[in-house]
Amino acid sequence: MDWKGFIQKYFDAVHWSWMDGKIERLASFFSKEGKDKTGEWERLTREYSQTVSRGAQIYAVSGRVIPLYWMETEKTLEVSLVWRGARHYRIGNQRHEEASTRVMTLRLNKVADGSWVIAETREWEGDLKAANVEANKKEREADVQERDTDAKPLMVVYGAKGYNARKAVEYAERYWDTTNPVYPRFNDDCTNFISQCLHAGGIPMLFSKEKTKGWWIRTGKGSEWSYSWSVAHSLYLLLKSGREPMRAITVDSPEELVPGDIICYDFNGDGRFQHNTIVVAKDWDNMPLVNAHTTDSRLRYWAYEDSTAYTPQIRYAFFHIQGV
């Protein structure tokens, strides 16, 4: 079997495992090293466990794998690809479709009989990379933002009173797997996307000449933006402050959130938040389903136990958005 056939067979097996939970059928695709070291095996196991714990019954799956480019030697091959997958499931009387787009690199080893095994998987622009980028950034952005929480921006641009959560959700649905050409797309795009959703819902920008103040973006030639628009932890600090323009209220549990609200994620539990999502729906058990960028996701279960960045130390912050 050539490597393209092997990859297609592997993802077909992944999709079947979504249906029946038999993750063990994937073992034969991995080398011992690959199974032990790659986070993908562990992620798939968590993904199924999360599905079972919710009482979800998957009744259909779909997926498409698109190779982007590859480099082959006599005994190894590295291929970068786009994997678009969707799961259709029911909880109680409700039906949902959860979709995601992942950009991945697989390293394959050729074994003695000429077949292939997976030695390593990694994401290009996924949750784990974004979390690492956020964690490794200089602390200056968040530190300055925290010190300047009470500082007034130079100009406040007021829009319609309040917050139209429906419009924010419509925006999140429209652009969950693409980019609004009005805005730049970042490598770790989660906070930029959430800021766009909030602004589409009527949250006005707070302009300033300093990146550490306000909440704003200037697009076009020489575009600039505030830390709070683009950095996950800085947006978290603004939401936590309860100040304009979001006037967010911290709530204790995900059940208290409604569509249009925001969840922040501290994957490592160290107090620095690395990811944000927007609630777009609630499931049968009144739990949030979210949209997000970086690993582009639609109607994803809020807990992110299926994420490559997940750790048992994960912490969440839940914010209800009021608006000015």
Side-chain angles (χ1 to χ4, degrees):
M1 182 186 304
D2 67 8
W3 65 265
K4 290 183 180 179
F6 171 81
I7 287 175
Q8 186 60 58
K9 188 175 180 180
Y10 167 69
F11 281 102
D12 285 346
V14 170
H15 297 151
W16 276 111
S17 297
W18 281 355
M19 289 285 290
D20 60 19
K22 295 181 179 178
I23 307 297
E24 61 272 14
R25 68 158 52 89
L26 304 178
S28 62
F29 291 91
F30 288 85
S31 66
K32 184 180 185 304
E33 175 191 32
K35 184 179 177 182
D36 290 343
K37 292 186 177 180
T38 184
E40 187 65 8
W41 178 269
E42 183 180 341
R43 189 197 68 79
L44 288 166
T45 303
R46 289 198 312 270
E47 183 176 58
Y48 179 68
S49 297
Q50 178 177 265
T51 301
V52 170
S53 67
R54 297 174 62 200
Q57 296 180 323
I58 298 175
Y59 61 87
V61 301
S62 60
R64 184 183 180 194
V65 178
I66 307 170
L68 299 176
Y69 57 85
W70 52 91
M71 182 173 64
E72 185 173 5
T73 66
E74 184 178 350
K75 295 185 178 180
T76 65
L77 180 136
E78 279 206 7
V79 55
S80 296
L81 53 85
V82 176
W83 173 26
R84 304 183 190 276
R87 298 187 296 172
H88 304 260
Y89 65 92
R90 63 173 64 89
I91 301 179
N93 294 328
Q94 285 187 350
R95 295 191 177 197
H96 300 281
E97 177 189 353
E98 178 180 335
S100 63
T101 300
R102 300 178 65 199
V103 184
M104 306 174 64
T105 295
L106 273 60
R107 180 167 63 85
L108 310 182
N109 289 344
K110 186 176 288 187
V111 295
D113 63 0
S115 60
W116 298 92
V117 291
I118 299 172
E120 182 184 5
T121 67
R122 59 184 185 272
E123 281 190 286
W124 274 15
E125 308 294 354
D127 299 330
L128 181 60
K129 178 177 179 181
N132 289 337
V133 168
E134 288 278 354
N136 292 329
K137 281 180 179 178
K138 293 180 180 179
E139 298 295 318
R140 176 176 176 274
E141 296 99 325
D143 290 345
V144 174
Q145 184 78 19
E146 193 158 22
R147 290 199 302 270
D148 288 354
T149 294
D150 294 326
K152 291 288 186 180
L154 295 182
M155 180 172 63
V156 179
V157 178
Y158 288 96
K161 293 294 183 182
Y163 174 53
N164 190 326
R166 179 181 59 81
K167 288 187 176 180
V169 169
E170 287 176 352
Y171 187 95
E173 286 283 86
R174 170 66 179 84
Y175 291 107
W176 77 268
D177 65 342
T178 187
T179 300
N180 183 341
V182 172
Y183 295 100
R185 172 92 184 207
F186 303 149
N187 286 339
D188 46 325
D189 198 55
C190 67
T191 306
N192 177 42
F193 174 65
I194 297 305
S195 291
Q196 292 173 38
C197 294
L198 291 169
H199 189 51
I203 300 296
M205 294 187 194
L206 273 64
F207 285 100
S208 173
K209 292 182 178 179
E210 299 180 46
K211 287 191 169 188
T212 59
K213 295 183 175 67
W215 177 74
W216 53 270
I217 187 170
R218 297 184 181 93
T219 58
K221 186 176 181 180
S223 58
E224 290 186 304
W225 44 84
S226 65
Y227 293 140
S228 57
W229 183 279
S230 60
V231 178
H233 191 69
S234 294
L235 179 60
Y236 159 76
L237 291 172
L238 180 58
L239 294 170
K240 181 184 175 184
S241 74
R243 294 180 59 85
E244 296 176 343
M246 294 86 173
R247 293 179 59 239
I249 298 174
T250 303
V251 298
D252 295 328
S253 68
E255 293 93 333
E256 298 175 72
L257 298 174
V258 296
D261 288 343
I262 304 299
I263 303 177
C264 301
Y265 299 76
D266 170 9
F267 288 116
N268 301 318
D270 60 4
R272 184 172 179 83
F273 285 77
Q274 304 124 326
H275 188 56
N276 306 295
T277 65
I278 182 169
V279 178
V280 294
K282 303 293 284 290
D283 71 9
W284 180 260
D285 295 319
N286 198 35
M287 287 297 187
L289 304 176
V290 300
N291 285 15
H293 269 195
T294 303
T295 293
D296 294 350
S297 303
R298 178 175 182 263
L299 294 171
R300 187 173 181 175
Y301 190 63
W302 71 272
Y304 262 62
E305 292 177 22
D306 59 343
S307 172
T308 51
Y310 175 85
T311 72
Q313 292 76 41
I314 192 170
R315 294 171 54 199
Y316 310 94
F318 309 113
F319 295 105
H320 173 62
I321 307 300
Q322 296 186 103
V324 295

